[in-house]
Amino acid sequence: MAENIKKQVAEDWQNAFPQLIKYGQNKYYKILGSVLVGIELVKPPSIEKYSPHFVIYSLWGNKAGKDLKACLSGPIALKPFYNKKGQEIYIPYNRHEAEFSEALKAVKNQLPFSMEGDVPLKEVMSALDEYSKTPPLSAAPNSYLQASLMESKLEMAICLGNEKLVQDIFSQIKKRSWDLDHFALWGLKYEEWLKGIENKITNKNEILSRLETNKQDKKLEKLQQSELN
């Protein structure tokens, strides 16, 4: 019975977003330019319920490494959806049929940009700016977590070849009064981190090469592709 319910859950979410393709259990993605975007149904351990989340992953690598596996080991953004009471949506599997319709309505209303077709870069950047104002990031506006998010925005601009935006974001990074103690908690020195970003801007072909390699990965073949523009 439980397996039948989980199969129904998978089918319902897939049918609701036909442009997203099932990548793994409870994961539905598409390629959007240099990133993977989509919806994940996050299941808390030992509890028979799930929570839909909006997600963005880089396709150019991250701190964990350069390949696709590393990209998918940590999202740029992972954001829950909320019900009318402002609470994170959780759907017990045995209540899926009764609660799916209302949850889907909330998800579609709260998606930061369309999952269909090409998307303007400014909409994705705006979504990341909004994400930076939500917990836990909002609790520490000058933390390394915020810096890491800005680094991802800069890398996305590099992938799109938008030199002006790259320089704008780099300028914002240099002006910010970062919490150097928080960098230290992550085993980082701010000056070395900033130097690393300068190197990425100078050696942009390295990021572009990794992006092309990862986009050719056989695991992504079945996914739909749209462009950032």
Side-chain angles (χ1 to χ4, degrees):
M1 177 64 177
E3 284 309 308
N4 286 342
I5 292 174
K6 288 182 181 178
K7 186 179 177 185
Q8 189 62 52
V9 168
E11 283 181 9
D12 285 347
W13 283 100
Q14 177 65 90
N15 291 337
F17 295 97
Q19 64 279 17
L20 302 179
I21 303 299
K22 193 167 187 278
Y23 182 84
Q25 189 172 17
N26 297 329
K27 297 178 180 182
Y28 307 86
Y29 302 146
K30 68 177 277 189
I31 297 169
L32 180 62
S34 58
V35 293
L36 273 188
V37 300
I39 291 171
E40 292 185 6
L41 310 179
V42 178
K43 182 187 177 300
S46 308
I47 302 173
E48 288 303 303
K49 61 182 178 179
Y50 70 88
S51 175
H53 282 59
F54 166 73
V55 69
I56 302 178
Y57 291 94
S58 89
L59 284 174
W60 59 81
N62 56 25
K63 291 155 206 61
K66 300 175 181 179
D67 60 7
L68 181 63
K69 184 179 178 182
C71 291
L72 293 173
S73 69
I76 296 174
L78 179 68
K79 191 172 184 294
F81 296 96
Y82 298 92
N83 60 25
K84 289 176 179 175
K85 296 177 181 176
Q87 300 164 330
E88 184 175 332
I89 294 172
Y90 279 100
I91 303 176
Y93 281 101
N94 61 9
R95 294 277 306 155
H96 169 76
E97 193 173 349
E99 298 184 18
F100 172 69
S101 176
E102 193 67 27
L104 178 60
K105 202 181 299 180
V107 167
K108 288 191 170 182
N109 283 339
Q110 292 169 42
L111 278 172
F113 49 80
S114 174
M115 292 290 111
E116 295 181 33
D118 298 344
V119 177
L121 177 66
K122 64 181 180 183
E123 289 189 16
V124 179
M125 291 293 180
S126 176
L128 293 177
D129 287 341
E130 284 304 309
Y131 181 65
S132 75
K133 298 171 189 170
T134 61
L137 280 83
S138 57
N142 294 316
S143 69
Y144 170 67
L145 295 177
Q146 294 278 8
S148 180
L149 187 62
M150 289 194 76
E151 183 178 359
S152 294
K153 288 170 63 179
L154 182 139
E155 290 165 337
M156 203 180 298
I158 288 175
C159 291
L160 201 62
N162 191 326
E163 296 287 343
K164 182 180 183 303
L165 185 57
V166 170
Q167 292 304 323
D168 283 351
I169 296 171
F170 189 50
S171 177
Q172 289 171 39
I173 287 172
K174 289 191 291 185
K175 286 176 185 171
R176 196 90 156 250
S177 300
W178 296 107
D179 181 349
L180 304 189
D181 290 339
H182 197 261
F183 275 72
L185 284 175
W186 287 79
L188 295 166
K189 291 182 179 176
Y190 168 72
E191 292 79 8
E192 291 176 4
W193 174 77
L194 190 65
K195 186 71 176 170
I197 289 183
E198 285 186 273
N199 289 338
K200 285 177 181 176
I201 296 171
T202 305
N203 304 309
K204 61 185 177 185
N205 285 341
E206 187 183 332
I207 284 179
L208 296 173
S209 172
R210 292 203 312 252
L211 172 63
E212 273 319 300
T213 299
N214 289 336
K215 284 179 81 168
Q216 300 304 316
D217 193 297
K218 283 189 163 30
K219 290 177 183 169
L220 300 181
E221 277 180 349
K222 61 185 177 180
L223 299 188
Q224 292 192 27
Q225 291 199 40
S226 299
E227 295 304 322
L228 276 172
N229 50 39

